[in-house]
Amino acid sequence: MASLLSFSLPKPNIIRSSSATPTTTTLTIPEALDEKFGRKGIKFLESNNVPFVELTVRNGSSLRLTIPDAHVTSYKPKVYWKDEGFEEILYTIPAGAAADPTKAKGGIGLVINDASEKSSRGSLLSGSEWTVKDTDSDAIDALQVELSCTAGTLDISYVVSLYPLSIATAVIVKNNGRKDVTLTSAILSHLNFKKRGRTAINGLKGCSYCSHPPLSSPFELLSPSEAMKSESSGWFGSESEEKPGVWTKQDVPITILKNKLSRVYAAPPSERVKPFYDTPPSKYETLDQGRELFFRVTRMGFEDIYLSSPGSLSEKYGKDYFVCTGPASMLVPVVVKPGEKWRGAQVIEHDNL
């Protein structure tokens, strides 16, 4: 874990309930979590019977993480020097307003799907519930929460860290079974933008990409079929995307995301059998020209970059615009052998101050 994040976790402890332990006071779940794992800047709370944790560092930057589904629903970094210089960066539809009234949509979601040939189970996380495994802090300039769950023969840890200028999400998958496990995975972030025509991505010039649907996810705002559906010409016009499977080179440094697209930036699978091949950059930037903000997205452990914009479909969710992007292993699944671990991470950071 130390190789992914700037400080390591202590030996984890897990809350275990026991009816044999006498108690004089019945604690709520947030109270029990706060008593066990609470630290300065880390507060456990509850909304509509769903426990969540709020992290707040010294400069006021904060995030919110719902515990049962490991869903980051809010990230508000300090991006201006003024006193109230915080902006919500994530695009999240609350549970009550989403199509599924029990789940929020958007935000930052971890996706781990079964990619074995004969499997039809899809998401490995759909039937799993996350629990708090540990917390850590470095004063209140770096805060960290580790969640864990079990999916079949897999032990999965998800570490969410907050710093004054960044948020990091890291996953560790361990295969405790006797057979190889084949996975597709991603950490997908739905980022909020002020104006559709002033939303862009920078840093992918020269990369190979093709049209491709996103991995199916409980947090998706657009389903794979919706993401791939062509958009009719409107006020902004329409740019035709290449057909799925047709590879193209990005020939401009900045891509304006006012039109609908769904892409994976990656080395084509046919190229990966060669001794040397070009890979996507480890870092790229999102540009919100409406708010004059930019954020740098860094991938670790993942081979691909997923990127989509909704075009006019964003209007059904409100006046703001959003983009879905993040590191992924979509085209060539990850194989985790018995007894081995696979790690992947994403960091979103900024220099707006």
Side-chain angles (χ1 to χ4, degrees):
M1 182 56 72
S3 63
L4 290 178
L5 306 175
S6 62
F7 59 98
S8 59
L9 289 167
K11 185 177 180 180
N13 298 301
I14 301 175
I15 292 181
R16 299 189 185 278
S17 60
S18 173
S19 58
T21 303
T23 58
T24 57
T25 303
T26 302
L27 298 178
T28 65
I29 292 177
E31 289 172 338
L33 291 170
D34 237 6
E35 187 174 277
K36 185 74 173 181
F37 298 112
R39 295 168 178 259
K40 188 173 184 180
I42 300 177
K43 181 68 175 176
F44 292 91
L45 302 161
E46 193 173 63
S47 176
N48 296 323
N49 296 318
V50 178
F52 65 91
V53 59
E54 283 189 346
L55 277 58
T56 306
V57 291
R58 190 191 306 271
N59 73 349
S61 298
S62 64
L63 69 79
R64 176 181 288 196
L65 170 69
T66 58
I67 295 169
D69 56 3
H71 188 198
V72 181
T73 58
S74 175
Y75 171 44
K76 288 184 178 180
K78 186 174 181 64
V79 293
Y80 306 117
W81 280 114
K82 60 184 180 181
D83 290 341
E84 297 300 320
F86 304 96
E87 288 282 347
E88 178 57 70
I89 301 306
L90 300 184
Y91 194 99
T92 306
I93 305 298
D100 180 352
T102 64
K103 277 190 176 294
K105 302 291 185 179
I108 300 176
L110 172 66
V111 185
I112 301 178
N113 292 343
D114 190 338
S116 57
E117 292 181 7
K118 298 181 180 179
S119 173
S120 59
R121 288 189 295 161
S123 173
L124 288 172
L125 303 178
S126 58
S128 302
E129 184 159 319
W130 296 85
T131 58
V132 180
K133 191 173 183 179
D134 209 352
T135 59
D136 199 4
S137 66
D138 178 7
I140 54 172
D141 287 323
L143 303 173
Q144 191 172 78
V145 174
E146 182 179 8
L147 305 182
S148 66
C149 78
T150 301
T153 63
L154 302 179
D155 284 341
I156 305 173
S157 294
Y158 190 48
V159 182
V160 179
S161 306
L162 179 67
Y163 307 92
L165 300 178
S166 65
I167 177 177
T169 47
V171 60
I172 304 173
V173 178
K174 182 180 180 181
N175 182 5
N176 292 318
R178 298 180 179 180
K179 297 180 180 180
D180 293 355
V181 176
T182 306
L183 311 171
T184 53
S185 58
I187 299 176
L188 296 180
S189 301
H190 298 79
L191 304 177
N192 186 40
F193 293 82
K194 187 175 182 180
K195 295 182 179 180
R196 174 180 171 185
R198 306 194 70 185
T199 298
I201 290 283
N202 180 37
L204 297 177
K205 183 177 181 180
C207 293
S208 297
Y209 72 88
C210 71
S211 295
H212 201 282
L215 296 176
S216 181
S217 161
F219 315 111
E220 64 195 23
L221 288 173
L222 298 181
S223 68
S225 60
E226 286 177 317
M228 293 298 288
K229 189 180 297 183
S230 61
E231 184 175 35
S232 59
S233 297
W235 178 259
F236 285 95
S238 176
E239 293 180 3
S240 59
E241 280 282 287
E242 296 286 350
K243 293 181 179 179
V246 177
W247 287 90
T248 307
K249 284 274 190 180
Q250 178 95 7
D251 57 1
V252 293
I254 295 177
T255 303
I256 305 299
L257 299 175
K258 66 182 180 182
N259 296 311
K260 192 168 182 292
L261 59 81
S262 179
R263 297 175 177 174
V264 59
Y265 287 82
S270 60
E271 294 288 310
R272 303 188 197 188
V273 299
K274 299 178 180 179
F276 302 99
Y277 57 88
D278 293 330
T279 61
S282 61
K283 300 179 181 181
Y284 60 100
E285 295 177 349
T286 66
L287 307 177
D288 184 347
Q289 296 171 314
R291 292 186 291 182
E292 298 184 343
L293 297 175
F294 80 91
F295 288 84
R296 187 180 307 109
V297 182
T298 302
R299 65 178 176 90
M300 291 174 274
F302 294 93
E303 294 293 324
D304 312 329
I305 295 171
Y306 178 74
L307 172 66
S308 72
S309 55
S312 61
L313 282 181
S314 67
E315 296 170 3
K316 72 177 184 179
Y317 296 108
K319 64 179 182 178
D320 289 341
Y321 199 61
F322 67 89
V323 165
C324 177
T325 189
S329 290
M330 301 168 59
L331 301 182
V332 177
V334 171
V335 177
V336 187
K337 294 186 176 298
E340 293 188 354
K341 295 180 180 180
W342 174 80
R343 294 175 170 86
Q346 171 186 257
V347 179
I348 300 176
E349 58 186 333
H350 73 94
D351 299 322
N352 294 293
L353 293 175

